[in-house]
Amino acid sequence: MATDNPLHATILELTRPGRGILAADESQPTITKRFKALGIESTEETRRNYRQLLFTTRGAEEYLSGVILFEETLSQRTDDGAPLPEVLTRAGILPGIKVDKGTTPLPNAPGDLITQGLDGLGERLKEYKKYGVRFAKWREVYGITDANPTALGIEANAEVLARYAAVCQQEGIVPIVEPEVLIDGDHTMSRCREVSDAVLHAVFTALHRHKVMLEGMVLKPSMVLPGKEHSSKATAEQIATATVEVLLCNVPAAVPTINFLSGGQSPEEATANLNAMNKLYPRAPWVLSFSYARALQDPAMRAWGGRPENVPAAQKAFHQRVKMNSLARAGKWTPELERAA
Ligand code: 13P
């Protein structure tokens, strides 16, 4: 990739040492569900307050290179009137945007879903760029059952991800390509590994077919884990090994960075698993970092509870999570560091 390519500059910034990405792009229904579980009302104002809290956490910029936003946040402002995307830019953090429009059942593939939002995507990206947006995110989901995902589901989802990525690159926007194999269910870890392998293989075949520049994209995969309802748990070392082995078989070294989603792991598990990957594979061909939503935000959202007087405690909790994951990105995290905080 030519060094004057805008994608190149964005990738360099996103991969700065010690940093990862915060996903703060929950759609209205998703953040409403998360707020409701904690007794917080979801209004435009409470969502603004909450995201302001995250983005103005002092010192978080040492651990974050990007934040993925939901469309509503682009035009929201801090109490002092500063646009929220600008608050990030001023702190040296790149604003990104979730551009997919959620999932719908995929016809003739019972149980599989497909993500919508390709129509008019180029025009929307042109608008988002006016807010300083430098990268985008699109998520396809794959539930695991004995029959899912189907071969059709795997193909169709890969095709859509590749089409999205090609449109982004055409607009000078770095695409985060997110194929999420869901943790729900009682499947074994080896079944998750088999599905992840098939999904990633199809995704990279489709990216190649659509001539997506691998050097100018971010991969955001799920980790290889046993299903949430499965009878036994796996260790961080087992998860790290299975995950990196699948990635090594499917993800070309030209991809600069892999930023995982947390997908329902507890905050400490997500940190421990990322740490184990960097510890066991210090010479992996890609940066192995994070792009968590829940695993970075849960303790902060809980500490806040919708109350202004809790903002300092919430920011402390958020700072702790980004710091711990920054250490995990270098394989330098230990459980003792959590307890020392
Ligand atoms: P979680 O880390 O909560 O899985 O969210 C990541 C994300 O951006 C999902 O699209």
Side-chain angles (χ1 to χ4, degrees):
M1 185 166 51
T3 47
D4 60 350
N5 186 318
L7 301 174
H8 180 72
T10 301
I11 289 289
L12 280 182
E13 292 200 49
L14 287 178
T15 54
R16 281 187 299 151
R19 290 169 171 82
I21 297 171
L22 162 69
D25 60 329
E26 297 84 358
S27 63
Q28 240 83 291
T30 302
I31 198 152
T32 300
K33 188 171 77 187
R34 305 245 160 99
F35 274 7
K36 204 172 162 197
L38 299 171
I40 307 165
E41 201 191 346
S42 178
T43 64
E44 204 179 323
E45 182 60 7
T46 58
R47 294 190 292 271
R48 185 193 70 83
N49 279 326
Y50 175 64
R51 284 164 173 154
Q52 164 176 260
L53 168 174
L54 295 177
F55 304 167
T56 58
T57 296
R58 278 231 189 99
E61 70 279 1
E62 287 175 51
Y63 312 115
L64 292 175
S65 55
V67 174
I68 315 170
L69 305 171
F70 186 64
E71 196 174 21
E72 174 186 68
T73 313
L74 283 183
S75 49
Q76 287 183 326
R77 291 170 182 265
T78 61
D79 298 342
D80 307 336
L84 286 180
E86 220 175 282
V87 169
L88 296 173
T89 315
R90 271 195 245 137
I93 301 171
L94 299 186
I97 180 89
K98 168 193 173 77
V99 296
D100 67 69
K101 293 193 175 284
T103 57
T104 186
L106 177 65
N108 304 321
D112 284 348
L113 299 170
I114 189 94
T115 301
Q116 311 181 92
L118 282 176
D119 286 354
L121 178 58
E123 294 314 306
R124 281 161 59 212
L125 289 173
K126 283 186 182 50
E127 278 306 303
Y128 297 148
K129 280 200 281 189
K130 295 179 188 161
Y131 292 91
V133 162
R134 300 272 297 275
F135 66 99
K137 181 195 104 169
W138 182 292
R139 170 176 176 259
E140 296 288 330
V141 294
Y142 308 82
I144 299 185
T145 66
D146 288 345
N148 299 97
T150 65
L152 172 59
I154 289 173
E155 276 308 309
N157 278 278
E159 178 72 11
V160 171
L161 265 179
R163 286 186 57 197
Y164 139 79
V167 176
C168 286
Q169 290 192 338
Q170 198 166 47
E171 295 299 332
I173 294 279
V174 165
I176 296 186
V177 172
E178 182 181 4
E180 176 172 5
V181 177
L182 295 175
I183 199 172
D184 308 322
D186 63 358
H187 53 269
T188 61
M189 188 163 161
S190 74
R191 173 79 178 126
C192 178
R193 181 179 177 141
E194 174 187 60
V195 169
S196 303
D197 184 60
V199 162
L200 288 169
H201 179 71
V203 166
F204 279 91
T205 305
L207 291 170
H208 185 263
R209 187 162 63 238
H210 284 268
K211 302 183 169 54
V212 171
M213 212 191 304
L214 299 183
E215 306 92 306
M217 63 164 273
V218 175
L219 178 68
K220 175 166 174 168
S222 37
M223 297 181 195
V224 175
L225 304 161
K228 219 175 175 124
E229 322 303 335
H230 187 66
S231 48
S232 60
K233 283 210 151 212
T235 64
E237 286 69 28
Q238 288 168 332
I239 291 164
T241 305
T243 302
V244 177
E245 281 180 4
V246 165
L247 293 169
L248 283 169
C249 288
N250 291 288
V251 184
V255 172
T257 180
I258 298 179
N259 294 63
F260 292 93
L261 58 94
S262 60
Q265 302 175 65
S266 74
E268 199 169 320
E269 280 167 358
T271 306
N273 294 338
L274 177 64
N275 186 67
M277 284 186 231
N278 281 299
K279 224 170 151 173
L280 292 171
Y281 298 91
R283 277 185 286 280
W286 339 267
V287 169
L288 292 168
S289 187
F290 56 90
S291 175
Y292 300 153
R294 283 164 289 177
L296 287 178
Q297 294 184 47
D298 276 359
M301 198 187 282
R302 203 171 291 276
W304 177 55
R307 307 171 86 91
E309 64 271 26
N310 293 340
V311 166
Q315 291 188 324
K316 189 165 173 241
F318 180 58
H319 186 272
Q320 164 75 356
R321 288 281 28 100
V322 286
K323 185 176 175 184
M324 293 296 109
N325 284 291
S326 167
L327 290 167
R329 181 204 189 287
K332 291 188 174 147
W333 172 86
T334 63
E336 291 71 42
L337 289 168
E338 296 281 349
R339 291 182 249 305

